[in-house]
Amino acid sequence: MTDTDGVLRKPYRALSIGIVSVVLLIAFEATAVGTAMPVAARELDGVSLYAFAFSGYFTTSLFGMVLSGQWADRRGPLGPVATGISLFAAGLLLSGTAGSMWLFIAGRAVQGLGGGLVIVGLYVIVSRAYPEHLRPSIMAAFAASWVVPSVVGPLIAGTVTEHLGWRWVFVGIPVLVAVPLALALPAIRRTASGPVDPDAPVAAFDRRRIRLALGISLGAGLLQYAGQDLRWLSLLPAAAGAAVLVPAVLGLLPKGTYRAARGLPSVVLLRGVAAGSFIAAESFVPLMLVTQRGLSPTMAGLSLAVGGATWALGSYVQARPGMEPYRSRLVALGMVLVAAAILAAPTVLIEAVPVWVVGVAWGFGCFGMGVVIASTSVLLLRLSAPADAGSNSAALQISDGLSNVVLLAAGGAAFAALGGGSVGGAAHGAGESAGSHPAAFVAVFLPMAAVALAGAWVGTRLHGGQVPEVSVTEEAGVRETPGVADVTAVALTDVRPDSVG
């Protein structure tokens, strides 16, 4: 019997189907929302706040991840998963019924908090409920759950948006929450509820880390708001955001991260550079195709559909044993592919360039991201002592999410400054309307391509740092079983960075 069969055996069947369904739902939501977002922003007269609708999710999810990790370690994963799914659904309903763009963004923020709680709780469940030899199979199922939604999500969401309206994309998804809840929660209660050691005293929450996580979320939110306001008075929230954000980041990321010190700091920095530049650019692709080239939401979403498969292919390629000696070169090549994809996307602003160029370019970019994201996970484990795996992996996730917020804020500010807020009035005829502002899109894509290219340089500095001491059992080829917090944070690194958005 294979390991894949093992996770579907009777003791694990309901749990496996339930938690994979949750991941599938999150993956479908991420691809569906990206397809419907351009239409929602135009109808709510909020295109100038377009980036905020994405970064609002990432901002609150940062806090949700830290809170969920501590909650699950102390009380078990049932609470954060149930609460997270409920908040996720409530956020979708709030956005789907919003009458203004700010209310829509508030719904996305609630959804992000729920997503952060859920995604961490799921991996705590894996660490507790499955024996070690079955964990790779359930993790593979999580990764595979992204492929199908990447292909069919844009088609379904686009069809619903065109025929029923964008609101149904948001209010319809919570109905699907009932299925994974019914399957997963009873199984979680049986197999993974409560603290690891019921007889041990429950440790208090680490208030310092929660304060730092709250500081990162608050600071990032203030910076994002200042970037969208574009008035002199916006310097005040920008300064306040930086004052809160910088100390929190320095307290949670490895020393030397900001200067790309060799080894672990560069691994953490690269994760942020790759995720932030790619997600910030990807968020504007559907809007560009809808408003500048007149594509329907369905076709705009499908232009990115091939990325799910090539991302998985990139992850598979880097995992081959023969690639190990060339990992640094492979990572640098991956970042070059990401930069090239971002640079190629705005060429469709030239009417003579066919729109399929975006789909092809994004396929190569997603391949590069698959290589880079998986490789940073591998290198993080290699460069972390067992006792530090949890905190280092949490730093990797913070770098990922924070860079999404900051670069989306920067891209959104540049977009709004060059008149991007008026593209909502563009005609469906390839940018012929007076409301068309192609320069606003160029101002987003070119800087993100430069950031991704800088990531290729950071990729040359992943080795050479201090290597952690290895225990006797690890030298013998047997890695000691990590704690719940370690498994939680490490496993998170194998998920797409936009998996919570």
Side-chain angles (χ1 to χ4, degrees), residues 318-368:
Q318 67 80 36
R320 308 312 300 158
M323 295 290 104
E324 188 57 40
Y326 310 103
R327 186 172 297 279
S328 292
R329 296 180 186 177
L330 197 61
V331 167
L333 175 61
M335 289 307 304
V336 170
L337 289 175
V338 171
I342 297 173
L343 196 61
T347 60
V348 300
L349 293 167
I350 303 170
E351 193 168 351
V353 177
V355 293
W356 54 258
V357 167
V358 171
V360 173
W362 226 247
F364 281 100
C366 284
F367 177 87

Side-chain angles (χ1 to χ4, degrees), residues 113-128:
L113 179 60
L117 290 171
V118 169
I119 202 68
V120 172
L122 288 179
Y123 289 101
V124 178
I125 292 168
V126 171
S127 71
R128 291 195 186 186

Side-chain angles (χ1 to χ4, degrees), residues 341-442:
I342 297 173
L343 196 61
T347 60
V348 300
L349 293 167
I350 303 170
E351 193 168 351
V353 177
V355 293
W356 54 258
V357 167
V358 171
V360 173
W362 226 247
F364 281 100
C366 284
F367 177 87
M369 284 295 289
V371 169
V372 173
I373 297 301
S375 291
T376 54
S377 302
V378 171
L379 291 169
L380 181 98
L381 290 173
R382 182 178 302 160
L383 295 171
S384 297
D388 298 327
S391 59
N392 288 343
S393 301
L396 197 74
Q397 285 300 305
I398 290 168
S399 177
D400 187 318
L402 180 62
S403 65
N404 286 334
V405 175
V406 172
L407 291 180
L408 272 167
F415 182 74
L418 291 178
S422 63
V423 302
H428 292 286
E432 297 172 357
S433 167
S436 176
H437 288 271
F441 290 98
V442 174

Side-chain angles (χ1 to χ4, degrees), residues 60-457:
T60 54
S61 68
L62 287 170
F63 179 72
M65 287 178 182
V66 176
L67 178 62
S68 181
Q70 296 210 19
W71 187 354
D73 280 346
R74 287 155 179 79
R75 302 288 184 181
L78 182 62
V81 168
T83 303
I85 291 177
S86 300
L87 288 173
F88 191 82
L92 284 167
L93 289 173
L94 181 58
S95 291
T97 57
S100 68
M101 192 62 178
W102 279 115
L103 193 57
F104 180 90
I105 291 168
R108 292 285 291 162
V110 173
Q111 190 186 342
L113 179 60
L117 290 171
V118 169
I119 202 68
V120 172
L122 288 179
Y123 289 101
V124 178
I125 292 168
V126 171
S127 71
R128 291 195 186 186
Y130 294 88
E132 188 171 354
H133 73 280
L134 289 181
R135 290 173 191 165
S137 296
I138 196 67
M139 292 298 179
F142 283 179
S145 296
W146 275 89
V147 177
V148 173
S150 296
V151 176
V152 304
L155 179 61
I156 295 174
T159 302
V160 171
T161 299
E162 291 174 33
H163 295 283
L164 298 177
W166 65 267
R167 295 183 184 276
W168 286 100
V169 174
F170 290 86
V171 301
I173 292 177
V175 177
L176 304 177
V177 170
V179 175
L181 274 177
L183 286 171
L185 294 187
I188 295 171
R189 186 176 290 108
R190 289 194 307 270
T191 60
S193 62
V196 175
D197 185 357
D199 299 325
V202 178
F205 280 74
D206 187 340
R207 294 182 180 180
R208 176 181 174 273
R209 291 190 66 82
I210 290 179
R211 285 197 301 269
L212 291 175
L214 185 60
I216 284 181
S217 297
L218 177 61
L222 288 171
L223 285 177
Q224 175 69 19
Y225 176 81
Q228 294 295 310
D229 197 5
L230 299 180
R231 293 183 298 171
W232 284 109
L233 287 176
S234 67
L235 292 176
L236 294 178
V244 173
L245 181 65
V246 172
V249 171
L250 293 178
L252 290 174
L253 297 186
K255 185 178 180 180
T257 298
Y258 70 95
R259 57 183 173 84
R262 287 190 176 276
L264 181 64
S266 285
V267 172
V268 173
L269 178 62
L270 178 63
R271 180 60 169 263
V273 168
S277 60
F278 186 81
I279 297 303
E282 186 179 56
S283 299
F284 283 87
V285 170
L287 183 68
M288 178 177 66
L289 294 177
V290 168
T291 61
Q292 305 300 299
R293 292 302 297 264
L295 265 66
S296 68
T298 303
M299 294 307 298
L302 284 174
S303 67
L304 305 179
V306 70
T310 58
W311 190 300
L313 179 61
S315 299
Y316 172 80
V317 168
Q318 67 80 36
R320 308 312 300 158
M323 295 290 104
E324 188 57 40
Y326 310 103
R327 186 172 297 279
S328 292
R329 296 180 186 177
L330 197 61
V331 167
L333 175 61
M335 289 307 304
V336 170
L337 289 175
V338 171
I342 297 173
L343 196 61
T347 60
V348 300
L349 293 167
I350 303 170
E351 193 168 351
V353 177
V355 293
W356 54 258
V357 167
V358 171
V360 173
W362 226 247
F364 281 100
C366 284
F367 177 87
M369 284 295 289
V371 169
V372 173
I373 297 301
S375 291
T376 54
S377 302
V378 171
L379 291 169
L380 181 98
L381 290 173
R382 182 178 302 160
L383 295 171
S384 297
D388 298 327
S391 59
N392 288 343
S393 301
L396 197 74
Q397 285 300 305
I398 290 168
S399 177
D400 187 318
L402 180 62
S403 65
N404 286 334
V405 175
V406 172
L407 291 180
L408 272 167
F415 182 74
L418 291 178
S422 63
V423 302
H428 292 286
E432 297 172 357
S433 167
S436 176
H437 288 271
F441 290 98
V442 174
V444 174
F445 287 100
L446 291 188
M448 297 309 152
V451 172
L453 199 58
W457 172 77

